[in-house]
Amino acid sequence: MLRSRMTSLVSSSCVEIVTMSLYRNTVWLLKGLQEYTKGGYEAAARSFSEADLEVNVSGRSFIITGANSGIGRAAACEIAKRGGTVHLVCRNEDRAKEARKDVVEQSKNENVHVHLVDMSNPRKVWEFASGFSQNHNLHVLINNAGCMVNQRELTEDDLEKNFATNTLGRKVNSWTYILTTALIPTLKKSENPRVITVSSGGMLVQKLNVEDLQFEKGSFDGTMAYAQNKRQQVIMTEQWAAQHKEVHFSSMHPGWADTPAVRSSMPDFYAKMKNKLRTEAQGADTVVWLAISDTASRQPSGLFFQDRKAVSTHLPLASSRTSPAEDQKLMSELEELAVKFKS
């Protein structure tokens, strides 16, 4: 009898999980088709203030990770055009040099520097942050680097690759966590410091799962792992904002943009949606706005933005909210992992 009842409860729980997952995915897709496309951007842009980006940021220093293509490269161009000193953090030397050449040509700004870092290697991230802090000042950190792998892969440090890059160092959100944490003291020395993390609206379909941060349980789904990492980034941003009042933190969704990453990681999605996707510049617009505009800095710290507007981090009736204890557990586990790789 007890065994039968337990089986019934487990079966009922599985049905509820599947039903909620289907609901979230359906609501998210409908929302995306309306808001995340090129048409969604164009509709939102009607209310943008052009003056917000008519600023000169000469003398301010910006780190942009994942800057050799896509949204990171587009953001670098716009910031450099306005006089900013831009530090491109990339993994591939040839592509990084090409990106720098392109940014300099478009902006006529020579203050564009390349730093080669393997963001999936937590030790390398610590080393970069330490060296950068000793030699440069920093006003704005833009966490843009990311990855999506469709099979569960481990890094040389036995970290799941999505988690290490996207969360920890952005494969494990470890990269994002380590780089941001390591650079906060440097940021605090500057005027009007900011941290922007490029997340994704895909995180809306996921509830934080602190019991399986590296996706060791059950079958692996690269798209859902990526969405879970992006949920982690949003929570990290909220937690940092509460802990470090001197720095303005924000996360954002760039919309569905036509980037090399989308083409390679999501070929089926790209084939179906390519005529509706945003340009790289449209995807980068809110990143740039958050990084340089006075209007953005007057927004409360810790919010999630889409098309220059703070939006909810949860779909209606989606049961995706977590408790403060769960959010804190995420931060504690990230700290524990990060410290292991600090030399």
Side-chain angles (χ1 to χ4, degrees):
M1 177 69 76
L2 179 59
R3 185 174 183 179
S4 175
R5 183 175 297 176
M6 289 296 293
T7 301
S8 177
L9 286 172
V10 170
S11 177
S12 176
S13 177
C14 288
V15 169
E16 289 178 7
I17 291 171
V18 171
T19 301
M20 180 52 70
S21 178
L22 179 61
Y23 167 79
R24 289 177 189 160
N25 289 335
T26 301
V27 173
W28 175 79
L29 179 60
L30 294 173
K31 179 181 178 69
L33 290 171
Q34 181 177 7
E35 300 178 14
Y36 301 164
T37 58
K38 183 189 298 182
Y41 173 84
E42 291 169 348
R46 295 188 192 112
S47 63
F48 290 176
S49 169
E50 291 184 12
D52 282 358
L53 298 186
E54 293 174 353
V55 296
N56 185 320
V57 291
S58 297
R60 287 179 68 78
S61 173
F62 301 76
I63 283 180
I64 307 176
T65 68
N68 58 9
S69 66
I71 288 169
R73 185 163 167 174
C77 282
E78 294 303 316
I79 292 169
K81 286 177 183 177
R82 291 161 175 80
T85 297
V86 179
H87 297 272
L88 310 177
V89 177
C90 309
R91 184 167 58 177
N92 183 287
E93 184 174 7
D94 291 339
R95 292 174 64 195
K97 288 180 177 178
E98 180 186 334
R100 182 191 181 276
K101 180 181 177 182
D102 180 58
V103 172
V104 170
E105 287 179 353
Q106 288 195 46
S107 66
K108 313 304 180 190
N109 180 352
E110 292 286 343
N111 290 321
V112 180
H113 310 279
V114 168
H115 306 267
L116 298 177
V117 185
D118 180 359
M119 295 304 272
S120 68
N121 186 323
R123 289 184 177 85
K124 297 297 184 183
V125 177
W126 277 118
E127 290 173 8
F128 164 71
S130 176
F132 186 92
S133 296
Q134 292 173 21
N135 297 295
H136 305 278
N137 62 358
L138 179 65
H139 296 85
V140 181
L141 167 63
I142 299 174
N143 289 312
N144 171 69
C147 78
M148 182 191 294
V149 294
N150 293 313
Q151 293 182 327
R152 189 174 189 273
E153 299 177 15
L154 298 180
T155 68
E156 63 186 45
D157 299 304
D158 290 329
L159 297 173
E160 191 281 317
K161 206 164 191 179
N162 284 296
F163 175 67
T165 301
N166 296 314
T167 304
L168 237 201
R170 250 201 145 161
K171 269 176 186 175
V172 110
N173 269 314
S174 122
W175 153 222
T176 303
Y177 182 86
I178 290 173
L179 185 66
T180 304
T181 300
L183 290 175
I184 282 175
T186 303
L187 284 160
K188 286 182 177 180
K189 297 174 184 177
S190 300
E191 181 182 358
N192 192 12
R194 311 183 194 190
V195 175
I196 298 101
T197 297
V198 180
S199 180
S200 168
M203 66 91 189
L204 292 169
V205 304
Q206 286 285 303
K207 178 180 180 179
L208 175 67
N209 181 5
V210 290
E211 303 305 324
D212 189 21
L213 291 179
Q214 298 197 59
F215 316 107
E216 298 169 294
K217 303 172 184 176
S219 59
F220 182 81
D221 183 323
T223 303
M224 290 301 102
Y226 179 81
Q228 178 70 203
N229 291 157
K230 294 303 181 178
R231 168 64 71 186
Q232 293 164 2
Q233 290 178 342
V234 169
I235 292 173
M236 287 156 53
T237 296
E238 294 168 345
Q239 294 293 306
W240 282 325
Q243 295 167 8
H244 305 284
K245 304 294 187 183
E246 308 96 320
V247 180
H248 188 278
F249 292 89
S250 56
S251 58
M252 60 79 66
H253 174 41
W256 294 342
D258 186 349
T259 66
V262 168
R263 282 174 238 148
S264 63
S265 298
M266 305 173 69
D268 292 341
F269 173 81
Y270 176 75
K272 294 175 183 175
M273 296 295 297
K274 60 183 178 182
N275 294 326
K276 297 181 182 296
L277 298 179
R278 300 179 177 201
T279 65
E280 293 175 348
Q282 290 171 339
D285 177 81
T286 296
V287 178
V288 177
W289 181 80
L290 287 166
I292 70 174
S293 77
D294 290 336
T295 303
S297 67
R298 291 195 293 269
Q299 299 287 318
S301 185
L303 299 182
F304 178 68
F305 289 83
Q306 174 188 310
D307 293 331
R308 303 193 192 183
K309 186 167 65 175
V311 295
S312 177
T313 56
H314 300 278
L315 295 170
L317 306 175
S319 300
S320 56
R321 299 179 188 276
T322 45
S323 67
E326 289 173 300
D327 295 347
Q328 186 53 53
K329 183 176 180 180
L330 169 67
M331 301 301 283
S332 297
E333 297 213 3
L334 288 174
E335 177 64 19
E336 184 177 332
L337 274 171
V339 167
K340 290 180 180 178
F341 300 105
K342 188 175 183 180
S343 56

